[in-house]
Amino acid sequence: MSLLSELTRAAVAQRAPDAVAVVPVGACEQHGPHLPLGTDLMVAEHVATAAAARLAGELDVVVAPSVAVGYSPHHVPIGATLTAGVVTLLTQLQEVCAGLTAAGFRRVFLLNGHGGNAELVVVAAREAGQTLRVRVGAGSYWVMAWDELIAAGAQDRGRLPGHAGAFETSLALALRPDLVVDPPHRPGTRFERNPAGYFGRYHVEQPDAMASGDGFSDDPSAGTAEDGRRYLDAVVTAVAAGLREFAGQV
């Protein structure tokens, strides 16, 4: 595993044709009163590097610089949120893929960590793959690891993935407990288990859903570092398997 930004031009030219370039895609947005704005990016970057390390010796994975600002207009009314427009984000993702292809990579994977980006990374991958004539994949880590997360109990305490609730609070406590500030307790929070994946059978947009309230989907105080470590291990295992399959080694 290597970070693209730490490689020389010669090293990239040598490794790129046989490697997979992974691009973490995140967001910079409010995550309740208790989690850092970069939670989604922090998790995506960790999963990318940890999955790459797990594949060392069988698949060369190079982690590219992250796309840090995602599609987050639904969080702007609450505050402390940066957002890219649809066209801007699609263009940036496609141009990152084009740059990696020009550097010699023939396989590029967009690893998403933010719900608002979920459809857009797939569209960007489809467009880039068709235009550049290389293999481009995309996936949101919790979708790629859905079955593993269910087995790890990730729907037992709150929504999966939810927003700044028990699940994401657990991940943050496992990764950067120093950045978590007194997770609030919201007793009696109701949440529905989602048996059909992230979007279910169809998607309904509710423009005012995040415009009021406290900016989290379920009880953050239900999250624990122990749970977070278990969830992260499940995610890394699933994403590593997904990258192996994407690379054509299964």
Side-chain angles (χ1 to χ4, degrees):
M1 186 277 294
S2 299
L3 300 179
L4 181 69
S5 59
E6 295 180 354
L7 297 177
T8 65
R9 183 180 67 195
V12 171
Q14 180 181 26
R15 292 172 58 179
D18 298 317
V20 173
V22 176
V23 183
V25 186
C28 185
E29 62 184 17
Q30 73 80 28
H31 268 74
H34 59 295
L35 296 185
L37 305 185
T39 295
D40 294 343
L41 181 62
M42 174 177 68
V43 175
E45 289 180 333
H46 170 81
V47 171
T49 56
R54 191 166 294 189
L55 291 168
E58 59 173 308
L59 177 64
D60 188 12
V61 177
V62 175
V63 180
S66 303
V67 175
V69 177
Y71 180 70
S72 305
H74 44 302
H75 291 284
V76 170
I78 301 178
T81 295
L82 305 181
T83 186
V86 170
V87 174
T88 299
L89 183 57
L90 285 174
T91 299
Q92 182 177 9
L93 293 172
Q94 291 174 58
E95 290 183 349
V96 167
C97 292
L100 291 168
T101 300
F105 290 95
R106 312 304 296 170
R107 295 173 293 186
V108 179
F109 195 91
L110 306 176
L111 181 63
N112 177 46
H114 167 54
N117 299 337
E119 304 102 328
L120 297 179
V121 295
V122 174
V123 173
R126 182 177 293 121
E127 288 294 303
Q130 289 294 320
T131 301
L132 302 169
R133 310 308 298 172
V134 298
R135 182 180 295 185
V136 183
S140 298
Y141 74 80
W142 64 91
V143 177
M144 297 175 70
W146 190 265
D147 290 342
E148 290 82 356
L149 284 170
I150 295 299
Q155 273 196 328
D156 294 346
R157 298 179 185 271
R159 293 180 61 185
L160 177 62
H163 182 75
F167 177 71
E168 287 194 322
T169 299
S170 295
L171 300 183
L173 285 169
L175 289 175
R176 290 295 304 272
D178 56 308
L179 299 181
V180 180
V181 182
D182 299 328
H185 177 53
R186 189 166 68 185
T189 302
R190 297 185 61 186
F191 64 91
E192 295 181 2
R193 294 174 182 268
N194 187 351
Y198 180 58
F199 289 112
R201 295 177 179 84
Y202 56 87
H203 177 70
V204 177
E205 186 66 15
Q206 300 182 64
D208 297 327
M210 293 296 294
S212 61
D214 38 30
F216 52 89
S217 61
D218 53 88
D219 186 5
S221 69
T224 70
E226 180 181 1
D227 284 345
R229 287 187 288 270
R230 187 170 67 255
Y231 303 157
L232 286 169
D233 183 66
V235 170
V236 170
T237 297
V239 169
L243 291 176
R244 189 184 295 113
E245 181 178 3
F246 168 74
Q249 295 195 0
V250 174

